[in-house]
Amino acid sequence: MNSTPNLRYAWYVVAVLMLAYISSFIDRQVLTLLVKPLKRDFNVTDTQVGLLIGFSFAIFYTFLGIPIGRMADRKNRKRIIVWGITIWSIMTALCGVTGSYNQLFIARVGVGIGEAALSPAAYSLITDLFPRQKLGTALGIYNIGVYLGSGLSILLVALILKLVSVEGTWSIPFFGDIYPWQSVFFIVGIPGLLIVALIAFTIKEPERQNASKAAVSTQEVKRYFAANRPAILCLFFGIAFMAFGSYATTSWTPTLLVRHYGLTEAQAGLLLGSIVTIFSTGGVIVGGRYSDRLTQQGKADAKMRVGFIGMSIGLFLALIVLIFFTLTPAPIQGFVVLLALCCFATSMPYGAATAAVQEMIPAPMRATFSALFLFVVNLLGLGGGPLMVGLLNDKLFHDPNQVHLSFAITLVMATGLSCFLLYTGLKPFVQSIENAKAES
């Protein structure tokens, strides 16, 4: 690797990849404000909604991420990203012409297949462009896409719902009748093809670190995992439970605001979208920069420690949310303040955590382990978080209007488990950093 990389170009690459990540999260989160018309027109339960928002997307997104990660350790990462964006953009648009729940489920699976290509390749590519002391900030900025995309998707859908009727049908040439709310999928899906062109014509595949060792066998990956199991499992599952709470929040808070506080879908979207866009984005930036500062101060566990600090604050706030809904009249102003603070704290670990994966893994295995990281985080977080709230509504409370309690219970469980795992992994993480240096 060039010892004096062009950092201006490197930051440009991060910005473009962040734009792609924003697009991916807009496409995957667009359903969160469409729960009411979806349930009305496709006649589905809260549990089915949870499956559609999370599991349908996560199943192939997670399982395909591993072979794609292996491919990204050997093949051209830029091409992998370009093909992934093309697939998910087209499949998102196709969600707009589905005529049943099952068809929409299959189309969502297709979105997950395309999006599986982005992050394993992007993490590896970014790591080859930055020195270690700037990696936390670089990956933190890339991971702004998680929260900026989630927030913007909610804001965008809220604005679109103001412009289209949510009842009746529209006739589309070649595809027949669709519900007006399905037009949202065309609006958010097609612009992804513009990002494809931007990446194809302005980004080059960077030189790999330790290129002579780039091709590693599956047995070597298994051996390294076995030797570093405690650190890897604590980090991966610690961030997975962080994502569990985060996806539950973005998926069900609009419905909570509608059912518990009487807001319209558009009002709920504008409120949550603003909170996520401002506070979650701020949290991931602060977390990434704070981890880089601790690294410069010689703290070997800096990136894992930032995750533990953020989730400790998140657990405290989640407990207050549960008490708030259980023992008080719970005015909306108080809930909004708690939600904003919680979004900030629980987003702090994400940029630092993805940098931690790169730091604790030898260079020739980074895309593979990034894919494994995303496998765990998304299968448990995206697949489980939205589903858990729906299950608690249907199976524990048997009342959709108790969604505020289902949400609070899910948030406490997620932040508590995340906090415990990240703390447990602090010492093993330091040892894994030394092991990675030795192997690289």
Side-chain angles (χ1 to χ4, degrees):
M1 180 181 166
N2 186 348
S3 60
T4 57
N6 183 341
L7 287 180
R8 180 177 297 179
Y9 169 74
W11 287 117
Y12 169 77
V13 173
V14 170
V16 173
L17 292 176
M18 180 190 70
L19 184 63
Y21 211 11
I22 290 171
S23 173
S24 76
F25 262 82
I26 289 175
D27 290 359
R28 80 173 69 170
Q29 292 290 108
V30 70
L31 277 171
T32 58
L33 271 186
L34 301 175
V35 172
K36 184 176 179 180
L38 172 64
K39 291 189 68 174
R40 181 194 65 222
D41 295 331
F42 285 176
N43 192 28
V44 296
T45 66
D46 278 353
T47 300
Q48 288 176 299
V49 171
L51 286 168
L52 189 63
I53 291 174
F55 186 76
S56 65
F57 174 90
I59 183 169
F60 276 92
Y61 178 82
T62 53
F63 282 99
L64 280 178
I66 296 173
I68 290 174
R70 293 288 292 157
M71 188 186 305
D73 275 329
R74 297 182 170 96
K75 305 294 183 181
N76 187 294
R77 293 160 290 186
K78 170 187 165 180
R79 291 176 185 169
I80 292 171
I81 291 169
V82 164
W83 277 109
I85 300 173
T86 302
I87 292 170
W88 92 55
S89 299
I90 292 173
M91 294 306 297
T92 297
L94 287 177
C95 288
V97 295
T98 55
S100 68
Y101 176 84
N102 289 337
Q103 291 176 4
L104 183 55
F105 191 98
I106 293 170
R108 287 280 292 173
V109 169
V111 177
I113 290 172
E115 291 196 20
L118 177 59
S119 283
Y123 290 162
S124 175
L125 194 152
I126 291 170
T127 301
D128 283 341
L129 292 172
F130 286 89
R132 177 175 175 265
Q133 65 270 21
K134 294 185 180 293
L135 186 59
T137 299
L139 285 172
I141 291 174
Y142 169 72
N143 282 297
I144 288 173
V146 173
Y147 300 103
L148 197 56
S150 295
L152 289 176
S153 70
I154 298 168
L155 284 170
L156 181 62
V157 175
L159 292 172
I160 293 171
L161 287 177
K162 284 181 171 290
L163 301 177
V164 301
S165 169
V166 292
E167 297 189 27
T169 59
W170 290 349
S171 182
I172 304 296
F174 305 109
F175 294 106
D177 292 338
I178 68 167
Y179 296 106
W181 55 267
Q182 290 181 280
S183 64
V184 173
F185 294 108
F186 295 104
I187 296 170
V188 302
I190 298 303
L193 299 177
L194 299 177
I195 300 174
V196 168
L198 190 63
I199 293 174
F201 293 108
T202 67
I203 290 180
K204 297 180 180 180
E205 175 75 3
E207 181 183 350
R208 292 180 184 268
Q209 295 180 7
N210 300 302
S212 62
K213 290 185 175 182
V216 296
S217 68
T218 302
Q219 287 303 118
E220 289 178 280
V221 172
K222 291 179 178 178
R223 176 192 57 76
Y224 191 81
F225 174 81
N228 296 272
R229 185 182 293 111
I232 291 171
L233 292 180
C234 284
L235 177 62
F236 285 20
F237 280 92
I239 299 303
F241 279 109
M242 179 217 78
F244 194 99
S246 178
Y247 281 116
T249 299
T250 55
S251 297
W252 284 101
T253 297
T255 302
L256 184 159
L257 291 169
V258 170
R259 293 179 185 175
H260 190 66
Y261 290 111
L263 273 63
T264 66
E265 285 86 355
Q267 289 171 332
L270 290 171
L271 180 56
L272 178 63
S274 299
I275 289 172
V276 172
T277 301
I278 296 169
F279 288 91
S280 295
T281 299
V284 74
I285 293 172
V286 169
R289 290 184 65 84
Y290 185 42
S291 72
D292 281 345
R293 176 178 292 183
L294 292 179
T295 299
Q296 292 167 0
Q297 293 173 355
K299 305 290 185 182
D301 63 357
K303 295 175 177 62
M304 180 82 94
R305 183 167 295 277
V306 168
F308 167 66
I309 292 170
M311 294 314 297
S312 297
I313 300 170
L315 174 59
F316 174 73
L317 292 167
L319 288 168
I320 295 177
V321 170
L322 180 59
I323 295 169
F324 182 73
F325 279 134
T326 305
L327 302 179
T328 75
I332 189 172
Q333 295 87 347
F335 173 65
V336 168
V337 171
L338 287 170
L339 180 65
L341 293 174
C342 197
C343 284
F344 180 88
T346 56
S347 66
M348 283 179 61
Y350 203 64
T354 52
V357 175
Q358 310 307 308
E359 192 172 30
M360 67 190 292
I361 303 300
M365 306 179 188
R366 282 176 180 153
T368 298
F369 274 94
S370 293
L372 289 168
F373 170 74
L374 291 168
F375 173 86
V376 174
V377 168
N378 287 289
L379 188 63
L380 181 58
L382 178 57
L387 180 59
M388 176 60 71
V389 178
L391 284 172
L392 289 174
N393 282 347
D394 291 338
K395 305 300 182 182
L396 178 63
F397 295 110
H398 305 286
D399 182 1
N401 291 320
Q402 297 301 311
V403 65
H404 57 293
L405 294 178
S406 299
F407 165 76
I409 291 169
T410 300
L411 193 60
V412 169
M413 180 191 72
T415 53
L417 289 170
S418 177
C419 188
F420 170 76
L421 288 166
L422 293 174
Y423 177 77
T424 303
L426 286 173
K427 289 184 179 179
F429 173 65
V430 175
Q431 182 58 54
S432 290
I433 294 174
E434 296 302 319
N435 294 342
K437 290 179 180 177
E439 297 223 5
S440 293

